[in-house]
Amino acid sequence: MENEKVYQMDFSKVYHLLVSKAEKKGRTRQEVDQVIRWLTGYSQQELEGMLERPTPYGDFFRSAPELNENRRLIKGTVCGVRVEEIKEPLMQEIRYLDKLVDELARGRAMDRILRK
């Protein structure tokens, strides 16, 4: 039930929270966009389109053009939960993005965030 609330949240609202978190630590919206594009396979134009219309957060991930294979290399905790141990696949995708933005906000280099 709790997961369903997250899946129904409007992507644009979550996006603005992610950008705000990064900007508070001196990072940019463009860097957040780069992380999102890397993870999901959306183009910048597609990402901007998702922000212009109501899109449930769950649908944003369900409709992702191509989830990056290297996302499985993302390890660590978000909200006290290890992302690699999350059983619900959709919630794991959401937490991968949270973890990437956390790393961005902590000042990690972009090539390390993107698991290159």
Side-chain angles (χ1 to χ4, degrees):
M1 185 70 153
E2 189 67 28
N3 287 353
E4 200 54 44
K5 282 184 177 180
V6 174
Y7 302 157
Q8 293 304 317
M9 293 172 61
D10 184 39
F11 170 68
S12 66
K13 290 182 181 181
V14 175
Y15 173 82
H16 291 295
L17 293 172
L18 296 172
V19 169
S20 177
K21 180 178 190 172
E23 288 178 339
K24 285 179 187 174
K25 298 293 185 167
R27 301 308 285 255
T28 67
R29 175 184 175 163
Q30 291 77 17
E31 289 174 308
V32 173
D33 288 357
Q34 183 179 357
V35 166
I36 293 171
R37 291 191 319 265
W38 176 86
L39 180 64
T40 62
Y42 284 111
S43 68
Q44 186 64 35
Q45 185 176 9
E46 291 169 322
L47 177 57
E48 290 171 8
M50 297 292 245
L51 293 170
E52 292 174 1
R53 62 183 179 277
T55 304
Y57 201 30
D59 289 352
F60 174 78
F61 283 96
R62 287 183 197 108
S63 300
E66 186 175 349
L67 293 169
N68 193 303
E69 290 179 17
N70 289 342
R71 74 190 187 285
R72 303 284 183 215
L73 300 175
I74 300 169
K75 309 280 186 215
T77 59
V78 173
C79 299
V81 177
R82 297 202 65 78
V83 295
E84 63 271 23
E85 295 174 1
I86 296 172
K87 301 292 184 220
E88 170 62 40
L90 183 55
M91 183 54 70
Q92 187 175 46
E93 301 302 339
I94 288 170
R95 292 304 187 185
Y96 282 149
L97 180 55
D98 290 342
K99 181 65 179 167
L100 293 175
V101 173
D102 281 353
E103 291 176 0
L104 186 65
R106 287 192 190 115
R108 193 168 198 194
M110 188 60 80
D111 64 330
R112 300 233 12 226
I113 293 170
L114 303 183
R115 303 331 196 239
K116 291 184 179 181

